[in-house]
Amino acid sequence: DRGRGAALRRRSWLGPLGRLVFHSAVALVVTAPLAWHLDRLPSGGEPDPTVTRFNLWTLRWTADRLPHGLSGWWDAPIFWPTHGTFAFSEPQPLTGLAFAWLRPLVGDVAAYSLLLIVAVTLNGLAAAALARRLGGRPMAAACAGVLAQGLPFIFDQFGVLQLVMVWPVFATLAAVLGWRERPAARQAALVGLGLAACAFTCGYYAALFGLCFVVAAAVLVERDWRVDPDERARRLGGLLIGVAVAGLLVAPLLLGQLDRLSGRRWLDTTVLAGSARWSEWSPSGDLWPGVVLVGLAVAGVVLGRRRRTTWFFVVLALAAAVASTGRRLVVLGVQPWDLLADHVGAIARLRSPFRAAALAQVALVALAVPALDRLVAARSRLVRLAAPALVVAGLLLAGVGPGTLEPVPDRPAWATWLDQRPDGEPVVWLPFAPGTSTQDFVPTVDAMLAALDTGHPLVNGYSGFFPLDHAERRERLAGFPDPVSLDALASWGVGYAVVDRAWFADGGRTAAARRAGLTVLEEEESAVLVALRPE
């Protein structure tokens, strides 16, 4: 009875609830002290809070539109009077939906931080599910899940919310292996759902994963899939089901974004800057996955070398590493990335190919499973303990943690004043960002957050892409409040200007505003609200 009770307890701990509790606890540890400071936003490796606060604005916008059935969702209140501005960056609809559910319970900032902890938890659960599909024992699967929760790339990019979301990739791979074992319609549909989740959480990962998966998928094809007519029909049917499920779910998002980004692509120089050098994959480079993960993956390849799935993940990892080099890869004088960008719109709109490194690390976790499984199956207790010990060492070497925890500025008085003006007239934040670095856009993003609930759209803003006339707008408004800037604002129907106080006081702008008959409506320590029309 004692032995039977111990077995039941083991099964209970390794059941769905036990796995959830375990990987949630790991998520709390590797993101500590985030759970104790939910009133702040983690910046990860970001040099400033621009991207983190922009992602908070993104989630808030989706949550605000949900009660309206997402009506007007694409026309975000920035870059007035340009339409479709929400398509200029990652929409993240699934993450926004989860945020909308959490925010009434804990508030905006806490909901954002909790989503990061949940994402790290899901990364572990999905990776453990993939490990079990690969035949890993429960303890080996748990160790693989912890490895996934501490991926170096994820914590280097922890300030970029969508890049933490690798769980859909793990889940899709687990579904693919499930469908490979048993080509049922349900398994094929799960593959489609996984692909849709990729697109709904991180379009970057969806595009790069699709590219790398196409390269590696041929390795999974068995001989009887080709020669047996019945098996071939089942496999083709499953492929169609998976594509149909993903297509039906993703089409509204994909078509909506493509329509609003028609003809846009990044400059070659911008993509080159976001392409990895091979030296970055060295042990001293920024993309190095860590000696523990690489060592376990190499051992896993040796142990699982007779498995087709092993070579699938080897090809997937290599394809992702090659994709990360983007425009830096040249083959016989040809740049493959440019050829893809010329024919695939989703690739043309990727600015930073180096982000494919996350997919390479995902593949390495899968490759590590045979090695972890061999360790936990050893007769020697000391050898069995080597698996969790290596995983803990991997976490320590990965540099986990949320980075700097940044407070979100209090809502300014000018936004409260605009709340009381239901006219909905556009407002401009001045000055425009002086350059293109994220640091230059910190005040702009803070203005976006403050203005979001006022019902007054902003003339400027921050996103991935910018309106084609953005540089012209900045030039025309640089001399505010001169006649050129006031004429431009009048032609756009702008009713208010929120001006940085120090900038407003410099160069005689305050006196010029009085001469132009502009009215100061609200003054505070950092900004001045000015009416551009007679009150």
Side-chain angles (χ1 to χ4, degrees):
D1 288 341
R2 181 182 300 175
R4 183 184 178 191
L8 288 173
R9 284 194 296 274
R10 283 197 296 271
R11 284 200 292 270
S12 174
W13 184 86
L14 294 170
L17 181 59
R19 291 194 291 269
L20 175 62
V21 171
F22 174 71
H23 288 293
S24 296
V26 173
L28 290 174
V29 171
V30 298
T31 61
L34 180 58
W36 295 269
H37 297 281
L38 292 177
D39 59 336
R40 300 190 175 195
L41 296 179
S43 61
E46 292 295 302
D48 51 68
T50 296
V51 175
T52 305
R53 293 178 188 175
F54 173 69
N55 272 322
L56 175 62
W57 174 90
T58 298
L59 301 186
R60 283 183 56 192
W61 173 244
T62 294
D64 289 348
R65 300 317 303 164
L66 276 173
H68 306 281
L70 292 181
S71 173
W73 186 57
W74 290 116
D75 291 325
I78 53 175
F79 302 128
W80 173 271
T82 307
H83 292 284
T85 54
F86 201 53
F88 290 1
S89 54
E90 288 271 13
Q92 306 175 63
L94 183 58
T95 313
L97 179 64
F99 176 83
W101 180 77
L102 277 175
R103 72 186 298 202
L105 304 176
V106 297
D108 288 355
V109 178
Y112 182 100
S113 296
L114 282 174
L115 278 177
L116 282 166
I117 297 173
V118 169
V120 175
T121 302
L122 291 175
N123 291 347
L125 289 170
L130 174 60
R132 290 194 298 275
R133 280 290 183 191
L134 289 166
R137 291 170 174 80
M139 181 58 72
C143 288
V146 176
L147 280 178
Q149 291 182 274
L151 288 180
F153 185 89
I154 298 307
F155 282 94
D156 183 61
Q157 301 291 320
F158 204 67
V160 188
L161 174 65
Q162 61 269 34
L163 297 184
V164 180
M165 305 285 178
V166 292
W167 62 266
V169 179
F170 280 115
T172 302
L173 290 169
V176 167
L177 296 186
W179 174 78
R180 182 175 180 270
E181 295 170 6
R182 184 169 175 268
R186 177 177 177 272
Q187 295 294 337
L190 287 176
V191 174
L193 288 174
L195 291 172
C198 287
F200 290 157
T201 53
C202 182
Y204 250 96
Y205 286 162
L208 291 168
F209 177 54
L211 173 65
C212 298
F213 182 81
V214 166
V215 174
V219 180
L220 292 177
V221 177
E222 301 281 359
R223 182 176 180 275
D224 61 343
W225 297 10
R226 301 189 301 270
V227 300
D228 185 336
D230 293 337
E231 186 65 19
R232 184 167 62 244
R234 281 194 294 269
R235 295 297 174 177
L236 288 175
L239 179 63
L240 290 174
I241 290 172
V243 171
V245 169
L248 289 173
L249 291 173
V250 175
L253 174 71
L254 183 62
L255 295 177
Q257 196 162 25
L258 289 177
D259 178 60
R260 290 161 178 83
L261 291 177
S262 178
R264 290 176 182 263
R265 61 182 292 173
W266 292 102
L267 296 173
D268 289 346
T269 52
T270 302
V271 178
L272 183 64
S275 300
R277 294 178 173 84
W278 284 115
S279 60
E280 294 180 70
W281 284 96
S282 68
S284 60
D286 293 337
L287 301 183
W288 174 244
V291 64
V292 172
L293 183 55
V294 171
L296 286 170
V298 170
V301 171
V302 173
L303 292 170
R305 61 188 179 277
R306 289 187 173 87
R307 302 177 189 174
R308 192 179 291 270
T309 51
T310 296
W311 295 107
F312 164 74
F313 284 109
V314 168
V315 175
L316 185 65
L318 291 175
V322 170
S324 73
T325 63
R327 296 196 73 245
R328 295 189 189 279
L329 179 67
V330 180
V331 180
L332 299 176
V334 176
Q335 291 174 298
W337 185 271
D338 288 351
L339 291 177
L340 285 169
D342 289 340
H343 296 90
V344 183
I347 299 298
R349 282 178 278 276
L350 298 183
R351 179 180 57 184
S352 304
F354 82 89
R355 291 174 173 176
L359 305 180
Q361 294 185 13
V362 165
L364 291 178
V365 171
L367 290 171
V369 171
L372 292 169
D373 197 56
R374 178 65 65 89
L375 290 172
V376 302
R379 291 185 178 182
S380 168
R381 177 175 296 180
L382 188 62
V383 176
R384 290 200 300 271
L385 289 174
L390 284 171
V391 169
V392 171
L395 291 182
L396 295 175
L397 293 173
V400 296
T404 304
L405 300 178
E406 297 276 358
V408 176
D410 294 332
R411 197 160 186 258
W414 61 261
T416 303
W417 194 97
L418 288 175
D419 287 340
Q420 303 165 11
R421 300 301 295 260
D423 52 40
E425 289 190 339
V427 59
V428 63
W429 165 262
L430 293 172
F432 267 47
T436 58
S437 71
T438 54
Q439 178 64 47
D440 292 327
F441 282 91
V442 173
T444 306
V445 172
D446 289 344
M448 288 169 59
L449 282 169
L452 185 57
D453 296 331
T454 66
H456 297 264
L458 276 171
V459 170
N460 42 346
Y462 174 81
S463 68
F465 286 102
F466 285 77
L468 298 177
D469 64 345
H470 186 263
E472 179 187 347
R473 293 188 195 187
R474 177 170 53 190
E475 183 178 349
R476 293 180 69 181
L477 300 183
F480 179 86
D482 63 3
V484 173
S485 62
L486 295 178
D487 288 346
L489 292 169
S491 68
W492 299 330
V494 181
Y496 307 97
V498 181
V499 191
D500 178 84
R501 186 161 188 164
W503 188 80
F504 192 53
D506 184 46
R509 289 187 176 88
T510 303
R514 284 197 298 266
R515 291 194 299 271
L518 304 184
T519 304
V520 174
L521 303 172
E522 187 76 39
E523 292 189 65
E524 49 192 309
E525 183 178 350
S526 60
V528 177
L529 177 63
V530 178
L532 302 178
R533 300 175 186 170
E535 285 292 302

